[in-house]
Amino acid sequence: MAILKVMKLGAEVLRRPAAEIEAKDLKRGRFKGLFDDLRETMVEYAGTGLAAPQVAAPVRALLYMVDPEGRRASAGAVPPTILVNPSFEVLDPKEVEDWEGCLSVPFLAARVPRARKVRVRALSETGKPLDFVAEDFHARVLQHEADHLDGVIYLDRVRDRASIRYTVDF
Ligand code: NI
């Protein structure tokens, strides 16, 4: 296992669509090392999500969690979970704005509109089909991380640009 370098805004790998992963490669454990490194790296940087392109691995995999101790606990806790080749169907077209930040865009936060409720289809890290519904903060984290797989950064989706702010005093 290793703590990987998190790529920052401006890195080309953050801006190009990532490649699908084949289920047979998951079953063979070909990506196990990457998934372990994603877990270790997310813990090191206290993130709530980390997509493979953020560690310069241009494949459609993401890691996320919803912390039961966090201020978003009302969304329901989700343990650290890997999703591969995720796709979404919007179940509630109502968009909700809330704060987001990103390990690839340090020291900034902004308000981002996201679909409130989505149906998620993906493969598990061992290649099993997953199909579930995510709401509120859970849905937000997933949409943010999945955007990374398409080369999209949350700042691209900010509607209220005046909300963009530093999270630290320099
Ligand atoms: Ni991010």
Side-chain angles (χ1 to χ4, degrees):
M1 300 231 297
I3 294 164
L4 302 177
K5 179 181 158 110
V6 177
M7 308 308 287
K8 303 300 189 302
L9 192 63
E12 195 262 343
V13 68
L14 292 174
R15 288 307 199 172
R16 76 176 123 97
E20 295 248 328
I21 290 177
E22 291 191 45
K24 68 177 189 320
D25 286 330
L26 296 171
K27 286 170 184 149
R28 285 177 190 151
R30 198 182 139 200
F31 289 94
K32 189 177 180 309
L34 172 64
F35 298 156
D36 287 344
D37 289 348
L38 279 172
R39 277 187 275 265
E40 194 172 359
T41 304
M42 191 173 85
V43 169
E44 172 71 14
Y45 294 103
T48 194
L50 189 62
Q54 291 182 276
V55 294
V59 291
R60 301 186 81 79
L62 62 85
L63 168 66
Y64 79 105
M65 61 177 279
V66 178
D67 182 355
E69 305 295 318
R71 67 192 173 94
R72 311 295 178 72
S74 62
V78 179
T81 301
I82 297 271
L83 295 184
V84 174
N85 303 340
S87 65
F88 297 102
E89 178 188 336
V90 173
L91 295 182
D92 181 350
K94 184 182 146 216
E95 288 192 328
V96 182
E97 277 206 351
D98 206 347
W99 293 100
E100 292 186 19
C102 180
L103 294 177
S104 294
V105 190
F107 310 128
L108 282 181
R111 292 185 69 80
V112 186
R114 299 282 185 190
R116 194 195 69 78
K117 185 174 180 181
V118 292
R119 179 177 178 181
V120 185
R121 292 182 184 84
L123 294 176
S124 76
E125 62 186 297
T126 54
K128 294 196 187 94
L130 303 174
D131 186 337
F132 60 95
V133 172
E135 295 182 69
D136 302 315
F137 184 65
H138 185 187
R140 174 173 299 277
V141 172
L142 283 177
Q143 289 170 85
H144 175 119
E145 297 311 325
D147 267 353
H148 281 299
L149 308 182
D150 293 323
V152 174
I153 298 290
Y154 80 96
L155 292 173
D156 303 339
R157 297 202 184 274
V158 171
R159 213 168 280 143
D160 175 11
R161 291 182 192 166
S163 74
I164 300 172
R165 64 193 52 203
Y166 286 109
T167 55
V168 292
D169 273 328
F170 288 99

